[in-house]
Amino acid sequence: MTWSATARGAHQPDNTAFTQQRLPAWQPLLSASIALPLFFCAGLAFIGLGLGLFYSSNGIKELKYDYTGNPGTGNCSACALADQDRAPPLRCSCAWYFSLRELFPGPVYLYYELTNFYQNNRRYSVSRDDTQLSGLASALRHPANECAPYQRRASGLPIAPCGAIANSLFNDSFSLWHQRQPGGPYVEVPLDRTGIAWWTDCHVKFRNPPLVNGSLALAFQGTAPPPNWPRPVYELSPDPNNTGFINQDFVVWMRTAALPTFRKLYARIRQGNYSTGLPRGAYLVNITYNYPVRAFGGHKLIVFSNISWMGGKNPFLGIAYLVVGSLCIIMGFVMLVVYIRYQDQNDEDEDAE
């Protein structure tokens, strides 16, 4: 046996049914009697599911208000005057008044919505340091290079949290008030701000650094807040269980959106007399207007919405199922016509022979 034959034999697979592909296999031969019923059944199933999703989505109630404040569009326009080239004045406030003629069924979710904001931009979406956000003390002083140009201040202090995502944190705030009777006083509606972020984000991905002498402020000593932040990260909330990197609003914002128009959860309304929804009456939303959007042609909206078994309002999913189901039915009829036509032709050819 020559060397080449020996080397060639050493690289050959074993002579087994698996390696030599001799295992028994089923290779279906699709006939018209099998393919056509599959198309019709799949089409009917998609159409049925699409109708259920579409009507379920239409049953979800939503209430929107654009408070961007373009000139002449409402009382938020005064706050938006300085929004074109610089941030609005600190603590600029405006209000939205609306009335409900019937119960807005719960549970009610309060969202803020932004348009023309591309959180999916590649440079923007990677501008963060997950090691720093996980609470590693050494990462506080040595932010990742991906955070540039929001990695360090001009003084050399490291930024915590670093990156463009954290620097652009949404900082408008809202409070909801209810007037139960005409001419009566407004009563504040409790907003549940807890549990608005994903559990895995709050308990796995985002952690505060170890406390120093029982103080979170000392743990962040030697760092600086992002340039657009008026206060450091450890002062985001007076609640010690909701401040720093584990602040719910911060965690929600750091989960970037895939599309330029997106919503993020701000609060739930499910406490006290509002556990079943928002009763009829007059309402007032106080808005603390801080976040600039007009510079990039964006809009800010407040959205009240309830949910169903399929989640929030999303007619696209139902429409997509209806379109796919209709295409399956149409293709089934087309193939049926083709089959009947050529089947008759084959029968005639056989009779002629």
Side-chain angles (χ1 to χ4, degrees):
M1 183 180 292
T2 63
W3 179 87
S4 60
T6 303
R8 193 165 52 247
H11 290 85
Q12 288 180 349
D14 296 335
N15 188 21
T16 63
F18 178 77
T19 57
Q20 297 297 334
Q21 300 184 9
R22 295 195 300 266
L23 290 174
W26 177 58
Q27 297 179 344
L29 299 176
L30 295 178
S31 62
S33 60
I34 296 176
L36 291 178
L38 284 178
F39 267 87
F40 287 120
C41 291
L44 292 175
F46 277 115
I47 289 176
L49 186 57
L51 288 174
L53 291 171
F54 184 76
Y55 283 110
S56 177
S57 176
N58 284 346
I60 296 174
K61 298 187 65 174
E62 281 191 352
L63 188 62
K64 289 185 178 182
Y65 176 67
D66 187 336
Y67 71 100
T68 307
N70 293 326
T73 59
N75 60 4
C76 287
S77 57
C79 293
L81 290 177
D83 188 8
Q84 190 64 39
D85 300 313
R86 58 186 177 87
L90 186 63
R91 303 293 297 179
C92 182
S93 298
C94 55
W96 169 38
Y97 294 87
F98 66 95
S99 298
L100 296 177
R101 297 182 178 180
E102 59 183 8
L103 174 69
F104 194 105
V108 181
Y109 293 79
L110 174 58
Y111 300 89
Y112 61 87
E113 180 177 319
L114 297 179
T115 67
N116 203 36
F117 193 113
Y118 289 82
Q119 280 196 314
N120 58 355
N121 179 278
R122 189 187 66 83
R123 290 282 305 274
Y124 180 90
S125 62
V126 301
S127 185
R128 58 190 292 164
D129 186 351
D130 288 324
T131 305
Q132 185 189 67
L133 297 173
S134 67
L136 190 63
S138 59
L140 288 178
R141 276 74 184 175
H142 302 89
N145 293 330
E146 288 79 6
C147 290
Y150 304 105
Q151 184 181 16
R152 294 181 180 274
R153 285 292 189 94
S155 61
L157 287 177
I159 296 176
C162 69
I165 307 176
N167 184 59
S168 60
L169 175 67
F170 184 83
N171 60 347
D172 286 359
S173 60
F174 316 101
S175 61
L176 179 62
W177 301 76
H178 178 209
Q179 187 183 46
R180 299 178 181 177
Q181 297 179 352
Y186 279 92
V187 178
E188 186 171 7
V189 178
L191 300 179
D192 186 0
R193 307 294 312 285
T194 62
I196 60 175
W198 289 24
W199 186 92
T200 51
D201 287 348
C202 291
H203 297 84
V204 179
K205 294 180 64 176
F206 292 80
R207 294 289 184 90
N208 281 327
L211 302 181
V212 176
N213 296 329
S215 171
L216 186 61
L218 292 178
F220 282 96
Q221 191 174 22
T223 66
N228 286 349
W229 287 29
R231 57 184 182 272
V233 66
Y234 53 83
E235 293 181 0
L236 287 179
S237 171
D239 182 1
N241 297 318
N242 188 38
T243 193
F245 291 156
I246 60 173
N247 176 261
Q248 294 276 314
D249 293 321
F250 173 71
V251 174
V252 168
W253 179 258
M254 293 299 291
R255 179 167 286 276
T256 54
L259 299 174
T261 297
F262 59 86
R263 296 177 183 178
K264 291 184 182 291
L265 183 60
Y266 183 81
R268 296 184 181 92
I269 303 173
R270 57 181 182 180
Q271 298 175 348
N273 298 327
Y274 305 92
S275 58
T276 59
L278 295 177
R280 57 182 300 177
Y283 288 86
L284 159 67
V285 179
N286 276 329
I287 304 168
T288 302
Y289 194 112
N290 296 316
Y291 202 72
V293 294
R294 294 181 62 202
F296 56 86
H299 286 262
K300 303 188 290 185
L301 295 91
I302 303 172
V303 182
F304 290 95
S305 175
N306 50 25
I307 62 173
S308 68
W309 60 271
M310 60 163 289
K313 194 177 187 67
N314 183 16
F316 171 79
L317 192 59
I319 294 174
Y321 273 100
L322 288 173
V323 170
V324 173
S326 301
L327 290 177
C328 287
I329 296 293
I330 293 173
M331 288 302 299
F333 277 111
V334 170
M335 290 189 295
L336 179 61
V337 171
V338 172
Y339 169 72
I340 294 175
R341 177 180 178 182
Y342 283 96
Q343 181 68 21
D344 293 341
Q345 183 177 348
N346 291 337
D347 293 341
E348 291 176 359
D349 292 342
E350 290 177 359
D351 292 341
E353 293 176 358

